[in-house]
Amino acid sequence: PYGRHLLSYQAVTVDLKPIASFALAYVSFSIATHIDLTEIKETNGRAFFTGVSDVLVSSASVTIVLYYFTHSLVLSLLLGIISGATAPATTLAVVKETRSKGPLTRLLLPHVAINNLACVALFGFVFAGIKGTITGEASLISALTHTAILSSSVSISIGLGTGMVLKVLFTRFEHESYTLSTLLVSILFVSGL
């Protein structure tokens, strides 16, 4: 564990937590950059429907089967939600390598992006609820309905607010060289909040 005892439990769980939070925030941000609303509109909502239903159906199926074998709702929920994610890097690499174009590719890229966003959002929602049960605050259902909804609402509000501020800032920048540093600082700020 922890790299053959190179890192302590304290380093992994506490000291490196800001780096892990930033890495997850950056991954989420990079996934979101592949969503083009015009492409989604061109697919008449098919990309949104297939992306979200893909996560829900596969996550529910795995959760039910795992619960049948383990009788642990927490473990089943976590593994079920993780199973719903697709690998966006692999899909993008294949599309770029083959220079694919056509109706399937136009549907595939938004589908993968929406799939991953739905999976991240669902995981955050369920994880917040499970965290509420582990700390002993409430039952799983009550934690999901109260803690997770509150946590998700606050996270969405912070993200939307930061996005609106960045939109205003980017229109006022004279040089594009400020864009990257501003994005990195904003991702650090949002992940810290």
Side-chain angles (χ1 to χ4, degrees):
Y2 313 123
R4 306 291 287 159
H5 304 290
L6 292 175
L7 298 172
S8 67
Y9 177 80
Q10 169 78 14
V12 171
T13 58
V14 177
D15 300 340
L16 296 176
K17 193 170 184 179
I19 294 171
S21 295
F22 174 73
L24 287 172
Y26 184 77
V27 166
S28 299
F29 175 79
S30 65
I31 290 169
T33 60
H34 293 289
I35 293 181
D36 187 358
L37 293 178
T38 56
E39 286 181 0
I40 293 172
K41 287 177 185 174
E42 286 175 8
T43 63
N44 296 325
R46 286 180 305 207
F48 182 80
F49 176 76
T50 59
V52 172
S53 62
D54 181 18
V55 171
L56 294 177
V57 169
S58 59
S59 296
S61 302
V62 171
T63 300
I64 290 167
V65 170
L66 281 175
Y67 184 73
Y68 177 77
F69 287 108
T70 64
H71 301 291
S72 169
L73 186 59
V74 170
L75 178 66
S76 302
L77 279 171
L78 285 176
L79 292 177
I81 290 167
I82 291 170
S83 73
T86 56
T90 307
T91 306
L92 289 173
V94 169
V95 167
K96 285 183 180 180
E97 184 180 321
T98 59
R99 294 186 183 107
S100 305
K101 292 191 188 315
L104 178 63
T105 305
R106 279 196 304 275
L107 180 64
L108 181 66
L109 295 178
H111 166 85
V112 170
I114 289 170
N115 173 284
N116 280 274
L117 278 177
C119 195
V120 166
L122 190 61
F123 182 83
F125 180 77
V126 170
F127 186 75
I130 289 171
K131 195 173 176 183
T133 62
I134 290 173
T135 57
E137 294 172 11
S139 69
L140 181 61
I141 301 302
S142 126
L144 281 173
T145 54
H146 294 95
T147 310
I149 288 175
L150 178 65
S151 173
S152 299
S153 301
V154 169
S155 298
I156 290 169
S157 300
I158 290 170
L160 284 174
T162 305
M164 287 187 231
V165 169
L166 287 176
K167 185 175 181 180
V168 170
L169 280 177
F170 288 159
T171 58
R172 297 181 183 196
F173 283 162
E174 295 178 13
H175 301 288
E176 289 183 15
S177 59
Y178 299 126
T179 305
L180 180 61
S181 57
T182 305
L183 280 175
L184 289 175
V185 168
S186 65
I187 291 171
L188 275 169
F189 173 73
V190 168
S191 68
L193 285 178

